[in-house]
Amino acid sequence: MAFILDYNLAKTKIREIISKDYNDKLKELVNFLYENFEHYSWIGIYVIKDKHLVLGPWIGPHATEHTKIPVGKGICGSAAATGKTELVDDVKSDSRYLSCFISTKSEIVVPIIKDGKVLGEIDIDSDKKEAFSKDDKMFLERIADMLAEHI
Ligand code: SME
């Protein structure tokens, strides 16, 4: 059995293992939501890094060009700045909206908060207008709480 005597090398390796696990978990979560909720047309998890939302695991028919959004910008950035869920029934009528997909009609953005600090968010686009109900909001806020414990 070989021992790793270099603590820095060990730290790098452990960091890799931890981040892999974590991204795999998030990927599994977005896949699960996508497969089980028809009105969730695109799902992504953003994580805050240096005052920006950085896109992590996502699922949907197309990639978004908005992979790095400054906090405060767009619907995503607003939710990150206030720590409050944004539920937009009609994206066309919201001037903050950053367009990703031509098919998107409504959007919900749920911040992931731990100890009063926004760590990231769940962003879901729907091809249906007014797709998200109060039940979606409560459900996704509960998931965000669960995620906060594992981020
Ligand atoms: N529409 C978002 C940008 C992210 S995409 O929906 C994936 C916004 O207005 O912030």
Side-chain angles (χ1 to χ4, degrees):
M1 172 128 182
F3 290 97
I4 296 171
L5 295 175
D6 183 331
Y7 288 114
N8 284 325
L9 179 62
K11 270 194 280 183
T12 307
K13 281 194 183 291
I14 289 165
R15 204 172 285 131
E16 252 175 48
I17 294 166
I18 289 171
S19 68
K20 200 170 168 186
D21 263 342
Y22 160 72
N23 269 316
D24 281 353
K25 256 189 275 185
L26 295 187
K27 183 72 189 138
E28 212 171 305
L29 172 71
V30 295
N31 287 351
F32 176 82
L33 292 174
Y34 189 71
E35 280 160 17
N36 290 285
F37 296 88
E38 210 186 344
H39 56 305
Y40 296 0
S41 308
W42 186 95
I43 306 165
I45 295 180
Y46 286 88
V47 174
I48 296 207
K49 282 180 197 146
D50 301 327
K51 295 187 177 152
H52 285 76
L53 290 156
V54 178
L55 183 61
W58 64 273
I59 187 165
H62 306 286
T64 175
E65 65 188 69
H66 297 293
T67 54
K68 197 174 174 196
I69 304 171
V71 169
K73 214 176 159 216
I75 295 166
C76 286
S78 296
T82 62
K84 297 259 184 318
T85 295
E86 290 285 348
L87 202 169
V88 179
D89 284 334
D90 175 12
V91 291
K92 271 194 196 139
S93 67
D94 195 316
S95 59
R96 300 167 304 171
Y97 177 63
L98 298 172
S99 175
C100 287
F101 317 111
I102 197 101
S103 53
T104 298
K105 302 273 194 308
S106 54
E107 180 166 7
I108 189 166
V109 184
V110 181
I112 300 164
I113 300 168
K114 192 176 183 181
D115 301 329
K117 204 176 151 211
V118 179
L119 303 179
E121 58 193 31
I122 305 167
D123 176 24
I124 306 183
D125 284 27
S126 182
D127 294 349
K128 280 198 218 154
K129 221 173 174 179
E130 298 172 31
F132 303 103
S133 65
K134 281 207 176 84
D135 286 343
D136 287 300
K137 182 175 179 282
M138 283 194 300
F139 167 63
L140 293 166
E141 284 175 350
R142 187 68 199 97
I143 289 177
D145 285 346
M146 289 187 221
L147 273 178
E149 297 307 312
H150 295 278
I151 261 183

